[in-house]
């Protein structure tokens, strides 16, 4: 596979950006090799600057649930652009998207748009601290909620991929207010509440983890966290930046019947343009400026083009669309497991709907500790064999692969042919 131009561009990019990228996980540090510089996306496919075509399972890390350049989305964005790119003033488009969000997730009584998932989660934490008058925050080892200071403690995604314990630059004074517990370990969380319950402002969780690779909540786990929060007067914040409107009409909260105090969104609600959002109980959200004293703001919040992209994307996500994603996810998972078995490579495949991860380990993956037992070397061999054969999986063992409604049966066939070669390559790696 010719990658000359990507290599040349990566050399230039390294003179401009730290690690040659504008977000760490894109640098292929978790798998080695040269990141591909992308020329365009169409449907379920990416084409890089050297003309190589790939079936794309990154989908901009989740937002493109209807595929690249979905005609309905592009049309609405172009329409919006004709009227203006940004006003710094209210516009009907933000009402349109917000009413669609509330219609599908009625527990979001009020919300605030921003421009990234990180803004949404850091704002939600500030609101929880302001509303409760408490300082402590609980998060889970390996969960990633964006690059905000309070959250870069035992985080997943790029922090996990790079094996960074936490991030330098986060003052100890900030980090000490972030308590952590293992994911899927209810006794550990119960003990944390018993010791600190009176000072815990909130618990924030990825309902289905994507940032350690996919990890599925044990039955009743999420509901039990919700009950613990209620008992101790802490707010329950569900981070649906990745799962929101991906795991179904009501996201993970709909799937698991959760009624959180606050929810964070990103990715899909922007349809590929920069959008984040946080929202929930009106009693809580009415404490946000200018209605209340808790400050949050953003120049491009509610940007009309981004609102148009989000609205068009959500409108495409019908029950039939979710059924298609489930069918594709089931078929892909079955094919991958069969191929791994044929190659005699022990794997664990964790999937919820259109989010899945192949862990190269024989141990079930239920939390950060078990995820870290997976062989990143075998994953790297698998990843590069897929890449060489036209399939673009997430470049890290600790990320989720995503399906879109644009992934065809032919795309899955191509993927499974490449996966056979991928598992054969992984089998050659001693663990
Ligand atoms: P952004 O600030 O990157 O829009 O969202 C942060 C965020 C918050 N919460 C969850 C559950 C998330 O998954 C994310 C971002 N996800 C990563 C991929 N695992 C973004 C990719 C990247 O960092 O480049």
């Amino acid at each position: 596979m010719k990658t000359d131009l990507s290599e040349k561009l990566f050399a230039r990019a390294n003179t401009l950006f730290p690690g040659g990228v504008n977000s760490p996980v894109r640098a292929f540090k978790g798998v080695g090799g040269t990141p591909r510089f992308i020329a365009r996306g169409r449907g379920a496919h990416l084409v890089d600057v050297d003309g190589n075509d790939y079936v794309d399972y990154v989908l901009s890390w989740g937002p493109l649930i209807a595929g690249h350049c979905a005609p309905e989305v592009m049309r609405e964005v172009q329409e919006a652009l004709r009227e203006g790119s940004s006003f710094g003033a209210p516009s009907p488009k933000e009402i349109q998207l917000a009413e669609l969000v509330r219609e599908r997730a009625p527990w979001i009584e009020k919300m605030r748009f921003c421009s990234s998932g990180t803004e949404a989660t850091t704002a939600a934490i500030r609101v929880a601290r302001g509303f409760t008058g408490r300082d402590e925050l609980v998060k889970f080892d390996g969960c990633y909620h964006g690059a905000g200071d309070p959250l870069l403690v035992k985080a997943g995604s790029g922090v996990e991929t790079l094996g960074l314990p936490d991030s330098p630059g986060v003052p100890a004074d900030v980090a000490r207010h972030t308590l952590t517990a293992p994911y899927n370990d209810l006794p550990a969380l119960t003990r944390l509440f018993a010791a600190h319950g009176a000072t815990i402002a909130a618990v924030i969780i990825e309902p289905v983890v994507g940032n350690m690779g996919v990890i599925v909540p044990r039955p009743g786990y999420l509901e039990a966290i919700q009950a613990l929060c209620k008992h101790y007067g802490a707010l329950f914040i569900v981070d649906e930046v990745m799962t929101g409107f991906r795991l179904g009409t009501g996201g993970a909260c709909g799937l698991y019947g959760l009624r959180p105090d606050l929810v964070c969104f990103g990715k899909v609600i922007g349809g590929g343009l920069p959008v984040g959002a946080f929202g929930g109980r009106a009693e809580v959200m009415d404490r946000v400026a200018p209605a209340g004293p808790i400050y949050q703001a953003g120049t491009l919040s509610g940007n009309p083009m981004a609102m148009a992209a989000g609205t068009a994307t959500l409108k495409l996500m019908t029950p039939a669309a979710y059924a298609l994603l489930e069918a594709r996810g089931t078929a892909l998972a079955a094919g991958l497991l069969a191929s791994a078995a044929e190659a005699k490579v022990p794997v664990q495949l964790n999937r919820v709907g259109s989010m899945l991860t192949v862990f190269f380990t024989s141990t079930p993956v239920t939390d950060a500790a078990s995820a870290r037992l997976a062989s990143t070397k075998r994953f790297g061999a698998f990843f590069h064999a897929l890449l060489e054969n036209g399939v673009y999986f997430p470049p890290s063992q600790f990320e989720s692969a995503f399906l879109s409604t644009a992934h065809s049966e032919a795309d899955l066939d191509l993927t499974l042919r490449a996966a056979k070669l991928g598992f054969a390559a992984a089998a050659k790696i001693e663990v």
Side-chain angles (χ1 to χ4, degrees):
M1 180 175 266
K2 202 166 87 49
T3 58
D4 312 28
L5 204 39
S6 276
E7 285 164 33
K8 284 197 186 81
L9 289 172
F10 193 42
R12 272 172 63 192
N14 268 293
T15 69
L16 292 160
F17 316 118
V21 292
N22 285 296
S23 197
V25 75
R26 304 177 187 173
F28 277 27
K29 286 274 187 234
V31 292
T34 302
R36 301 299 193 264
F37 280 65
I38 303 304
R40 64 185 170 282
R42 283 286 181 282
H45 290 247
L46 284 175
V47 180
D48 72 16
V49 292
D50 291 288
N52 302 306
D53 184 292
Y54 308 93
V55 180
D56 179 17
Y57 289 92
V58 176
L59 296 171
S60 183
W61 299 98
L64 301 171
I65 196 166
H68 294 272
C69 293
E72 301 83 346
V73 177
M74 291 300 114
R75 185 180 59 242
E76 292 304 318
V77 173
Q78 285 155 0
E79 194 61 40
L81 177 56
R82 257 193 286 280
E83 305 305 316
S85 57
S86 175
F87 309 123
S91 91
K93 286 188 170 38
E94 48 205 287
I95 293 172
Q96 195 182 19
L97 180 54
E99 286 180 340
L100 201 45
V101 167
R102 190 166 60 183
E103 179 191 309
R104 299 188 180 193
W107 47 92
I108 313 279
E109 295 169 347
K110 283 203 174 169
M111 70 197 83
R112 165 68 56 86
F113 287 119
C114 49
S115 298
S116 71
T118 296
E119 278 185 82
T121 55
T122 41
I125 289 159
R126 185 181 312 127
V127 171
R129 286 172 161 159
F131 182 80
T132 60
R134 301 176 181 180
D135 290 340
E136 307 309 293
L137 166 73
V138 175
K139 75 174 286 293
F140 297 90
D141 183 6
C143 283
Y144 177 74
H145 303 285
D149 277 1
L151 292 156
L152 284 175
V153 176
K154 291 190 181 176
S157 184
V159 185
E160 188 68 41
T161 300
L162 301 178
L164 301 171
D166 297 313
S167 171
V170 177
D173 246 5
V174 170
R176 70 186 175 83
H177 290 296
T178 302
L179 312 175
T180 60
Y183 184 84
N184 264 334
D185 182 341
L186 188 57
L189 181 64
T190 306
R191 288 193 298 274
L192 207 59
F193 264 108
H196 303 278
T199 61
I200 293 175
V203 173
I204 186 168
I205 194 163
E206 290 187 64
V208 171
V209 183
N211 290 293
M212 283 186 259
V214 173
I215 296 184
V216 184
R218 291 191 204 287
Y221 176 62
L222 299 172
E223 300 86 327
I225 296 175
Q226 183 169 277
L228 274 171
C229 288
K230 200 167 181 65
H231 177 76
Y232 284 94
L235 297 195
F236 184 32
I237 303 175
V238 177
D239 178 353
E240 290 238 52
V241 169
M242 191 183 280
T243 56
F245 304 111
R246 172 166 283 281
L247 297 187
T249 306
C253 290
L255 191 62
Y256 295 102
L258 302 176
R259 290 300 174 267
D261 299 292
L262 290 173
V263 186
C264 301
F265 292 110
K267 298 182 193 277
V268 168
I269 66 162
L273 270 68
V275 179
F278 60 100
R281 287 168 46 206
E283 180 196 5
V284 177
M285 289 302 290
D286 280 338
R287 304 286 290 280
V288 178
I294 305 171
Y295 201 69
Q296 187 282 334
T299 301
L300 296 176
S301 299
N303 172 271
M305 292 166 57
M307 297 291 103
T311 300
T313 299
L314 287 196
K315 283 181 177 172
L316 290 172
M317 295 318 295
T318 61
Y322 288 113
L324 175 63
L325 287 178
E326 181 56 32
R328 294 280 190 263
T330 304
L332 180 60
L336 289 169
L337 284 171
S339 187
E342 195 184 323
K344 296 187 177 43
V345 175
V347 299
Q348 300 292 320
L349 194 150
N350 288 356
R351 178 181 77 89
V352 179
S354 58
M355 289 171 59
L356 67 88
T357 297
V358 179
F359 289 98
F360 284 80
T361 175
S362 49
T363 311
V365 178
T366 58
D367 58 13
S370 45
R372 288 174 189 134
L373 296 176
S375 165
T376 54
K377 284 193 173 52
R378 280 192 159 176
F379 179 84
F382 173 76
F383 170 84
H384 279 289
L386 263 65
L387 196 67
E388 287 297 314
N389 288 279
V391 176
Y392 191 82
F393 247 52
S396 165
Q397 171 67 96
F398 306 111
E399 292 286 358
S400 172
F402 299 102
L403 280 149
S404 78
T405 52
H407 282 75
S408 65
E409 285 186 16
D411 291 325
L412 263 60
D413 291 347
L414 187 155
T415 303
L416 292 174
R417 285 197 301 277
K420 266 173 99 71
L421 301 169
F423 288 119
K428 293 194 183 94
I429 306 280
E430 279 305 308
V431 286

